[in-house]
Amino acid sequence: MAALFVSLTLIPLISSRILGKIVTTPEGNRWWQRLFRKSGQWYDSLDNKYRNLLVFSLKRRFLVVAVTAGITLFSLVLAPFVGTEFMPSQDTGQITVDVEMPVGTTLAVTGGVIAKMGDTAGQLTEVDTVLTMVGAGGEMGMFGGAKTEAGQMNIRLKPKEERNRSTDQVVEDLRDRFKGIPGATIKVSNSSGMGSEGGSAIEVTIRGDEIGVLKQISAQVCEVAKGVEGTREVSDSMKEGRPELRLRFDREKLAQYGLSSAQVAQLLRMAGDGQVVSNVEMVAKFEEGEGPNVINRSAQSRVAYVKMDYAGRDLGSIQKEIQSKLAGLALPAGYSLQYGGQQEDMAESFASLGMALLLALLLVYMVMAGQFESLLYPFCIMFSIPVSAIGVVLSLLITGREFSVP
């Protein structure tokens, strides 16, 4: 509507003020008159060349159609080699490093590891500042509460004109430098803010009821994902649990002494608060065990997540290979796999964009049909749309870019 308004009002006004003078006095020596003659000569030359090409094409119609169709088909064959991604990575110069040590690691030990990692990151010429935090971070972020075994680093790089490497290249370098830290689970990511809501590029959700079975399946999915070229920092929500003490009641002895489990639990609660008024012996025993860090539920079902990042390959090909390998995984009855992360966002966005493209083509056809007062001419003109795949595919291949939402 804005373009229509401008074309019907502003353009005629400018043309009447400027173009009329040029056309009525083309032989003058003013700069705009010389420019008009020069551009006119260039346009006439281009017009003659196009006329000759058109005559050549009309005399060889079959050849022109065959060559155009052949190149278009060849471009479509090359399209799978382009690859796909949700959003191109942005060189923001911001890097986040999440660190998790084994459960039970003291704050001092975690702080020492984080400090060494900060020194390592500070040695890179591209790094400007490093901010370290101990007792926070990990997969749960700032909402997970204080954890002595977790820490985080926020790294800011120098401006792009002052460094020779991109943020993604520095991220890969840091991943290699941090590999040798024993016992640490480290995630290095480009803080571009272009990921999915959960922040993971690729996410596999395992659904089922039993925590033990979910843990077993998620471990298998992790092994498969780690074997796919291009995956980085594969993490499992069913990883090492937290140590806990379990109280096992002797039901017969409870009945013998006339006690209930609620009464014993109340005594334990009071003892934990420092109020020891009596002791109950020989009706229960403690066992050391391991409990999950978190129990995730979605759509009234227990779930486990396997999340990962990627580098060196496009998102679409990595996702396709992971799904292909996991298709052969034998799952117990009642258990299933679902895929999310940026791949899910990309599929939804591409579907929406495809619908928008179809609507745009329909509207353009309707406008041209009204202008030409013909249903055939616009149809012929719109045959140029599939031919545009030639330039699109070849340009992306040459520049090494992937199909994405932009």
Side-chain angles (χ1 to χ4, degrees):
M1 292 178 65
L4 180 65
F5 175 79
V6 171
S7 64
L8 295 179
T9 57
L10 182 62
I11 300 302
L13 173 62
I14 296 177
S15 300
S16 66
R17 296 292 181 178
I18 299 178
L19 191 58
K21 296 179 181 180
I22 296 178
V23 175
T24 54
T25 57
E27 301 301 328
N29 201 31
R30 298 284 185 88
W31 68 268
W32 43 267
Q33 293 169 329
R34 295 196 303 270
L35 178 62
F36 178 78
R37 288 195 298 270
K38 193 69 175 178
S39 62
Q41 293 172 2
W42 176 82
Y43 183 81
D44 290 339
S45 174
L46 179 64
D47 185 60
N48 291 331
K49 291 178 181 178
Y50 172 67
R51 188 184 303 274
N52 295 333
L53 178 62
L54 191 58
V55 172
F56 174 86
S57 301
L58 291 175
K59 289 181 179 180
R60 299 165 178 81
R61 298 173 183 174
F62 177 79
L63 177 63
V64 171
V65 173
V67 170
T68 304
I71 298 177
T72 303
L73 291 175
F74 178 70
S75 300
L76 295 178
V77 171
L78 292 178
F81 296 96
V82 175
T84 57
E85 64 181 358
F86 178 51
M87 283 284 187
S89 178
Q90 297 188 5
D91 195 350
T92 60
Q94 301 287 338
I95 299 175
T96 301
V97 182
D98 288 308
V99 184
E100 285 203 16
M101 299 297 291
V103 175
T105 303
T106 63
L107 199 65
V109 174
T110 305
V113 173
I114 298 292
K116 290 181 181 178
M117 294 176 62
D119 293 339
T120 300
Q123 294 174 3
L124 300 182
T125 57
E126 297 86 358
V127 173
D128 185 17
T129 59
V130 179
L131 172 66
T132 62
M133 294 176 287
V134 184
E139 289 187 357
M140 299 299 291
M142 67 176 65
F143 303 105
K147 296 195 296 184
T148 60
E149 69 272 12
Q152 189 178 77
M153 287 197 305
N154 292 323
I155 301 173
R156 185 173 66 184
L157 305 182
K158 297 177 181 177
K160 287 188 288 187
E161 58 272 11
E162 298 181 16
R163 48 187 166 91
N164 298 321
R165 296 192 297 178
S166 66
T167 303
D168 285 337
Q169 290 174 319
V170 176
V171 166
E172 280 293 287
D173 190 358
L174 289 174
R175 284 171 177 163
D176 291 335
R177 291 172 181 263
F178 294 155
K179 278 182 179 178
I181 300 177
T185 301
I186 302 170
K187 180 179 181 181
V188 188
S189 57
N190 180 350
S191 305
S192 62
M194 300 306 295
S196 63
E197 182 179 353
S200 298
I202 303 173
E203 182 178 301
V204 183
T205 302
I206 306 105
R207 293 185 174 275
D209 295 325
E210 297 293 333
I211 293 181
V213 179
L214 286 176
K215 189 173 184 179
Q216 180 182 359
I217 297 175
S218 62
Q220 294 175 327
V221 173
C222 278
E223 289 301 316
V224 171
K226 290 177 180 178
V228 175
E229 181 184 357
T231 57
R232 298 289 189 274
E233 296 164 348
V234 182
S235 63
D236 181 3
S237 65
M238 302 295 293
K239 59 185 179 182
E240 179 186 5
R242 291 185 171 274
E244 64 182 15
L245 284 176
R246 299 168 182 168
L247 185 63
R248 301 291 185 186
F249 290 114
D250 188 328
R251 300 293 178 178
E252 293 183 359
K253 290 186 177 180
L254 282 177
Q256 179 181 351
Y257 293 109
L259 297 173
S260 67
S261 58
Q263 290 175 309
V264 179
Q266 178 65 27
L267 289 175
L268 286 173
R269 187 178 299 111
M270 294 173 62
D273 293 336
Q275 302 176 11
V276 181
V277 295
S278 62
N279 292 318
V280 180
E281 299 174 354
M282 299 185 66
V283 295
K285 63 178 180 179
F286 284 101
E287 295 178 355
E288 292 186 0
E290 182 181 284
N293 281 310
V294 61
I295 300 177
N296 297 298
R297 298 187 69 88
S298 175
Q300 300 181 352
S301 174
R302 282 179 177 169
V303 293
Y305 299 105
V306 175
K307 302 178 181 181
M308 66 206 76
D309 207 336
Y310 72 99
R313 292 177 64 190
D314 67 281
L315 174 63
S317 61
I318 294 177
Q319 179 82 20
K320 186 180 297 184
E321 184 175 346
I322 290 176
Q323 290 186 236
S324 175
K325 291 187 175 182
L326 291 179
L329 187 64
L331 297 176
Y335 292 82
S336 62
L337 302 179
Q338 293 180 346
Y339 300 91
Q342 290 183 22
Q343 175 67 19
E344 183 180 20
D345 297 337
M346 181 176 66
E348 293 176 356
S349 299
F350 281 10
S352 300
L353 290 173
M355 180 60 67
L357 176 62
L358 292 178
L359 291 175
L361 294 178
L362 179 61
L363 292 174
V364 169
Y365 178 81
M366 293 170 60
V367 170
M368 289 195 298
Q371 286 182 325
F372 299 148
E373 297 182 353
S374 170
L375 298 178
L376 181 60
Y377 290 165
F379 184 75
C380 296
I381 293 173
M382 296 181 75
F383 265 98
S384 63
I385 294 176
V387 179
S388 65
I390 298 173
V392 171
V393 173
L394 292 180
S395 64
L396 291 177
L397 281 175
I398 292 173
T399 58
R401 305 301 295 270
E402 288 84 25
F403 285 116
S404 62
V405 171

